[in-house]
Amino acid sequence: MFKGLSLDQAPPFEAPLLFFAGALIFGLATGVSILFGNSSFGTLHLFTIGFLGFIMIGALQQMLPVVVGVSFKRPILFSFLLFFPLTAGLILFFLTLEKGYNLFFLASLFLFLAVALFTLTTLYKLFKAPYTTDTVIAMRLALISFFIAAALGAHILASFGLQKAPNPSFILTHALFAGYGWIGLLIMGVSYQVIPMFYVTQEIPELHKKWLAPATFILILLSILTLFINEKLSLMLFITLLFVYIFYAVLLLQQIKRRKRAIKEPSIAFWQLGLVTLFFLPLLFFIASEKFALLFLFGFATSIIFGMLYKIIPFLSWFHISSWGFFDMPTMKEMINEKLAFIHLGVHIATLFALFINLKIFGALFAISTVLLGANLYKPVKIYLIYKKKPSPLAQFKKS
């Protein structure tokens, strides 16, 4: 059922864990910044790069060897080479916008070089993959989108550094490739694997998987290209893009509803919540464009990522411990406090409602949400570290 799944090639847990830990810090910083500061582009990028981006980079580092069968040489070193320039660039970017320092060039250099290293290296690996699945295609298109978004972002930052107003079309193109290309397409591709794997659902029909990601990418391209020719046509194409995402939501919700083990658990509830928010996007686009963009990021993307983390981190902890020959470790289900996770779900739902009522309350609730996530994911990480210190039964068996 899990085409291409190869668990023996998984990198050390510390490689993605570095990004997951950094994401929690930037997520908390996002909430605090909204609560006590102002909701500027600096704060927005603390969230989009520091929270969403870090989690997605960490997840990709883990998934590529497992799902695609390609691996990074020296994955810990590769993580450090990405993590520190991204962190430095993001902090410089935030300080430039919030404190008025003219560090645009330095911020854009750090951010673009790190993203270029990640996207180009990963794309090279993906195009040399031993097989091409629909997940691989979606990942390729997501990474191409990420590179384009980063290049445009660097250009926009450089324009600010030169005290020139950037072209509004470049800002819109940057946002489309970052949101609907990088974030949306990666979630789409990953869901093809994790939904059947973790929730025991049927595979998404091959016919739909084949066209969904390519059609999404083509609609993004056409929406941008026609923007310079015919704005009404560009708008129609963008609305069509939103309905493609709604079709994807319907498809996935049906698969989840038909799953073999219809057990109530917080991770699947986060997935369902994220997918349902997609239905509100076309209406919000016309009546509240700012809220429309934020609902896509915090309603769709963040809900899905919360749901994935509640499965991926316990799974990685369990997998690495079992690979050392231990069989007395807690199960994945036992590693997560489900009651606390449901409380987190409630806080996250309240956060989404606050998005439409008061941004200060929204910021406070998002900060609390991030803390709850970290508190719940601390346990599987702690269990992993405890077992890592123990002598491996497998190593002792091999010696004997």
Side-chain angles (χ1 to χ4, degrees):
M1 180 167 69
F2 311 123
K3 209 180 294 181
L5 205 60
S6 177
L7 295 173
D8 59 334
Q9 298 191 64
F13 192 16
E14 288 80 359
L17 195 59
L18 178 66
F19 284 96
F20 295 156
L24 290 173
I25 295 169
F26 280 118
L28 179 60
T30 300
V32 171
S33 179
I34 294 170
L35 179 60
F36 295 107
N38 51 52
S39 307
S40 69
F41 282 110
T43 302
L44 176 66
H45 286 80
L46 279 182
F47 173 73
T48 54
I49 300 174
F51 183 74
L52 294 180
F54 273 38
I55 290 172
M56 292 164 72
I57 289 170
L60 258 182
Q61 279 188 281
Q62 183 65 47
M63 287 197 71
L64 283 181
V66 173
V67 174
V68 185
V70 297
S71 57
F72 296 98
K73 290 181 181 179
R74 305 180 71 181
I76 299 293
L77 176 61
F78 187 60
S79 288
F80 279 116
L81 289 174
L82 296 173
F83 182 83
F84 288 107
L86 278 172
T87 301
L90 190 52
I91 291 171
L92 290 172
F93 178 35
F94 181 76
L95 289 175
T96 298
L97 289 178
E98 293 293 327
K99 303 298 180 183
Y101 304 128
N102 193 348
L103 300 169
F104 287 112
F105 288 109
L106 200 56
S108 64
L109 181 66
F110 276 122
L111 288 171
F112 179 69
L113 288 179
V115 172
L117 173 64
F118 172 69
T119 53
L120 296 178
T121 303
T122 309
L123 278 169
Y124 173 75
K125 298 281 185 183
L126 281 172
F127 278 104
K128 293 201 72 175
Y131 39 80
T132 301
T133 64
D134 299 303
T135 292
V136 171
I137 291 168
M139 286 179 172
R140 287 174 183 169
L141 295 174
L143 286 161
I144 291 168
S145 299
F146 194 18
F147 181 83
I148 294 170
L152 287 167
H155 173 79
I156 292 164
L157 281 178
S159 297
F160 281 128
L162 293 170
Q163 297 184 337
K164 293 181 179 178
N167 189 320
S169 298
F170 284 1
I171 296 174
L172 182 58
T173 303
H174 166 77
L176 280 173
F177 274 115
Y180 295 90
W182 161 234
I183 295 171
L185 283 171
L186 189 59
I187 288 174
M188 196 179 286
V190 168
S191 70
Y192 297 162
Q193 287 285 343
V194 301
I195 292 295
M197 177 180 170
F198 287 131
Y199 305 110
V200 199
T201 70
Q202 294 180 349
E203 291 268 357
I204 295 169
E206 290 292 329
L207 176 65
H208 297 317
K209 285 198 293 186
K210 286 191 182 303
W211 70 263
L212 265 172
T216 300
F217 187 76
I218 289 167
L219 281 168
I220 293 169
L221 280 176
L222 291 176
S223 297
I224 291 161
L225 293 174
T226 53
L227 185 64
F228 301 95
I229 304 165
N230 187 319
E231 287 189 6
K232 286 185 179 179
L233 178 58
S234 177
L235 179 62
M236 288 174 61
L237 288 165
F238 180 69
I239 298 300
T240 305
L241 172 66
L242 295 182
F243 278 99
V244 169
Y245 269 97
I246 289 173
F247 178 82
Y248 163 72
V250 170
L251 197 62
L252 225 57
L253 286 167
Q254 286 178 340
Q255 298 300 101
I256 291 169
K257 187 179 179 181
R258 296 169 185 161
R259 67 191 187 279
K260 295 176 183 177
R261 295 184 304 182
I263 302 168
K264 287 184 179 180
E265 56 175 311
S267 65
I268 198 69
F270 275 111
W271 271 93
Q272 290 168 318
L273 173 64
L275 293 167
V276 166
T277 61
L278 291 175
F279 291 91
F280 297 95
L281 292 182
L283 177 63
L284 271 179
F285 177 73
F286 289 104
I287 63 174
S289 58
E290 182 185 335
K291 304 298 184 185
F292 153 81
L294 291 175
L295 186 66
F296 179 84
L297 293 172
F298 287 93
F300 169 63
T302 303
S303 302
I304 299 294
I305 280 174
F306 285 160
M308 282 201 287
L309 287 176
Y310 275 124
K311 281 294 185 182
I312 288 173
I313 291 185
F315 170 74
L316 292 177
S317 178
W318 175 87
F319 163 69
H320 284 288
I321 293 168
S322 64
S323 71
W324 297 330
F326 294 103
F327 296 101
D328 61 339
M329 67 283 194
T331 63
M332 286 172 56
K333 187 177 178 65
E334 291 168 340
M335 289 185 188
I336 293 294
N337 182 334
E338 283 204 351
K339 185 177 180 181
L340 185 60
F342 274 118
I343 291 171
H344 178 207
L345 175 65
V347 171
H348 182 57
I349 292 170
T351 304
L352 297 183
F353 277 110
L355 180 60
F356 297 91
I357 300 167
N358 185 289
L359 278 180
K360 297 295 181 184
I361 297 172
F362 166 76
L365 287 172
F366 185 71
I368 294 168
S369 184
T370 308
V371 170
L372 287 171
L373 177 69
N376 224 344
L377 296 181
Y378 172 73
K379 185 178 178 181
V381 174
K382 184 182 178 182
I383 291 169
Y384 165 81
L385 293 173
I386 289 170
Y387 276 87
K388 189 179 181 182
K389 292 177 182 177
K390 295 181 179 182
S392 167
L394 195 60
Q396 290 176 345
F397 175 78
K398 286 179 180 178
K399 284 180 183 178
S400 62

